[in-house]
Amino acid sequence: MIRIPPKGYIIAATLLAALGLSGCATMNRGECQTVDWRTVGYEDGVSGQSSGRIAQHRKACAKHGVAPDLDAYQSGREQGLREYCTADNGFRLGERGASLPAFCPDDRQMAFESAYRDGFHLYQLRASLNQAVNSLEAARREQHDIEHQLVGLSDLIVAKDTETAARAQALLDVKHLA
């Protein structure tokens, strides 16, 4: 028997597929023909895009016969990077465990990297804390399981109808669990 998904699922799947395909190109024909390359560079810089991002724009716009204005793009990207490469942003990136970008302007690089290292150190400390908490929780679960087993073995030991061999094994198991 073949099940046909409800109409809503088909529409949602179609929209997701369209969105996925539209993500392949950085710009469409209209954008390529009317774009302010300085603004595109700024947006790429302020969002921390690498210098390779212009190649994606170039490829997308080449399909429409448009070449990027590299000088305007680079100028805008430099301005955007100056906003991206702040100590605050470096700390936030490190705190999230993101990779350290290597494209900040020279006069911003040192402060950015220093703040990134501080944030990354915090990220590592939190990861260590989470690991310790998880280990503690696992130990607590194990302790709870052992206590549960000990109660069961104790009941077996004191039960009137428990055979001597079973009682002796239960006592050995209690000793082992303790």
Side-chain angles (χ1 to χ4, degrees):
M1 176 178 177
I2 298 174
R3 273 185 80 188
I4 299 174
K7 186 176 182 179
Y9 288 121
I10 295 171
I11 292 170
T14 304
L15 286 173
L16 286 174
L19 286 172
L21 290 175
S22 70
C24 294
T26 60
M27 295 182 184
N28 62 33
R29 175 186 298 273
E31 290 168 329
C32 288
Q33 291 173 341
T34 61
V35 71
D36 172 7
W37 286 104
R38 182 175 172 77
T39 301
V40 172
Y42 173 81
E43 289 171 354
D44 285 354
V46 83
S47 66
Q49 296 292 330
S50 72
S51 60
R53 181 76 168 165
I54 186 66
Q56 295 171 337
H57 296 316
R58 184 182 308 138
K59 185 176 179 183
C61 290
K63 295 175 186 174
H64 309 295
V66 177
D69 179 344
L70 294 177
D71 290 335
Y73 177 86
Q74 290 292 30
S75 175
R77 185 169 176 274
E78 281 296 316
Q79 183 183 1
L81 285 176
R82 296 194 72 68
E83 289 185 35
Y84 177 82
C85 295
T86 63
D88 287 344
N89 196 41
F91 184 84
R92 278 191 299 274
L93 288 171
E95 183 182 28
R96 290 193 324 246
S99 298
L100 175 65
F103 47 72
C104 287
D106 291 341
D107 64 327
R108 302 263 175 141
Q109 189 72 26
M110 216 159 82
F112 182 83
E113 285 184 12
S114 177
Y116 172 87
R117 282 191 299 275
D118 290 344
F120 193 74
H121 183 67
L122 179 59
Y123 169 80
Q124 291 174 318
L125 290 172
R126 285 180 177 157
S128 294
L129 177 62
N130 286 338
Q131 186 177 17
V133 167
N134 290 339
S135 295
L136 181 61
E137 287 300 317
R140 284 182 180 153
R141 284 190 301 273
E142 183 180 10
Q143 179 184 5
H144 176 76
D145 291 345
I146 289 171
E147 288 171 354
H148 183 74
Q149 290 176 36
L150 287 171
V151 167
L153 290 169
S154 298
D155 289 346
L156 183 65
I157 291 169
V158 297
K160 292 180 182 176
D161 59 342
T162 303
E163 295 182 14
T164 305
R167 191 178 312 246
Q169 183 61 50
L171 284 170
L172 287 173
D173 291 345
V174 165
K175 183 179 176 185
H176 174 73
L177 287 172

